[in-house]
Amino acid sequence: MQAIEKIPFTNNWIIWVMLFLFLIIFILRVISYKQLKYHALALFNISRIEDEEVQNSRFSLFQILFFVLHVTLFAVLFLIVKFKYITSFTFSFANFTNIFIGIFFFLLIKKGVEQVVLLNFGLRKALNFFLITKNETLNSFSIFTYCFMVLLLFSDIPFLVVSSILALLFIYRLALITVKNNNLIFSSLFYFILYLCTVEIAPLFILFKM
């Protein structure tokens, strides 16, 4: 294959991982087709009004399954990138597991820090719409990432094409979040910067320092 022709498929573990992700999406569809459709298309929802009928708890089964989807997808993506650019790196299930565990605990701790910051500084009400938008667009980005990941792994589409599309999609997601929350950014700039520094920037800085 042109995109990732050196990836060995003899063990077939990557196929089972992608089937596992498909199963998660299928379960999400069984739980609520309307919610799944709403989240999948969130990147194309430019309205500043969220559909209250599809809002659910941040700790619901729906969101837990999406969290597992995020972690697994990012682990596969990170594995492919490392395999592509580090010659000594092997595309193995052991390396995937290590990356998966690292991303899982990083995002879990990050979410824990987020809840502590929101509660201690009373930011939940002020940043509620921003948090909803960030979560929904991440879910949508993950669905599209899965689709492009399938194409990357099992077709002749070049790695550069897929990585470029995902990069542009991620930049678009950031722009969409900014546009939908421009009033919040300017009216609650202090709280917004406080959230970004403590929840988004600081964890990444610590991760890179490790």
Side-chain angles (χ1 to χ4, degrees):
M1 291 188 299
Q2 182 181 359
I4 42 178
E5 56 187 3
K6 294 183 180 180
I7 289 183
F9 285 96
T10 53
N11 294 327
N12 293 326
W13 65 265
I14 187 62
I15 298 177
W16 288 107
V17 170
M18 300 308 289
L19 286 175
F20 170 71
L21 292 174
F22 178 80
L23 178 61
I24 290 179
I25 296 174
F26 177 77
I27 295 174
L28 290 170
R29 192 251 184 255
V30 172
I31 293 175
S32 176
Y33 170 74
K34 184 176 182 179
Q35 286 192 41
L36 178 59
K37 181 180 178 181
Y38 178 81
H39 284 265
L41 299 178
L43 282 173
F44 304 99
N45 177 21
I46 61 175
S47 172
R48 290 183 173 84
I49 301 176
E50 303 298 324
D51 189 343
E52 294 183 358
E53 294 184 15
V54 298
Q55 294 301 322
N56 54 337
S57 170
R58 293 180 178 86
F59 302 103
S60 67
L61 176 61
F62 196 85
Q63 291 299 339
I64 291 173
L65 288 173
F66 255 119
F67 177 77
V68 176
L69 183 72
H70 299 160
V71 175
T72 310
L73 271 175
F74 294 152
V76 174
L77 185 60
F78 192 57
L79 182 74
I80 292 175
V81 171
K82 291 193 70 173
F83 177 78
K84 182 73 176 177
Y85 294 106
I86 302 178
T87 55
S88 59
F89 189 81
T90 57
F91 193 84
S92 65
F93 184 71
N95 283 332
F96 165 77
T97 303
N98 292 333
I99 294 173
F100 177 90
I101 293 174
I103 294 177
F104 176 83
F105 282 106
F106 172 76
L107 292 181
L108 196 64
I109 293 172
K110 183 174 177 292
K111 283 185 175 294
V113 172
E114 179 182 76
Q115 296 305 312
V116 171
V117 170
L118 292 175
L119 290 175
N120 287 348
F121 292 95
L123 300 180
R124 181 173 297 283
K125 184 176 181 180
L127 300 179
N128 185 59
F129 183 76
F130 167 77
L131 296 173
I132 291 174
T133 306
K134 188 183 74 164
N135 181 61
E136 290 176 350
T137 54
L138 178 60
N139 292 342
S140 181
F141 178 78
S142 294
I143 295 293
F144 283 99
T145 299
Y146 173 77
C147 296
F148 285 110
M149 197 74 69
V150 170
L151 292 176
L152 176 63
L153 291 169
F154 306 114
S155 74
D156 294 329
I157 187 170
F159 172 81
L160 181 60
V161 172
V162 173
S163 59
S164 299
I165 292 175
L166 291 179
L168 291 173
L169 199 60
F170 186 77
I171 294 173
Y172 167 74
R173 172 181 175 254
L174 297 179
L176 180 63
I177 294 175
T178 303
V179 170
K180 295 182 70 171
N181 291 272
N182 60 347
N183 292 334
L184 167 68
I185 294 174
F186 291 107
S187 63
S188 304
L189 185 60
F190 172 77
Y191 297 114
F192 187 74
I193 294 177
L194 178 63
Y195 172 85
L196 287 181
C197 292
T198 55
V199 179
E200 300 293 341
I201 299 176
L204 290 176
F205 180 78
I206 295 174
L207 181 65
F208 288 133
K209 283 292 183 179
M210 294 178 62

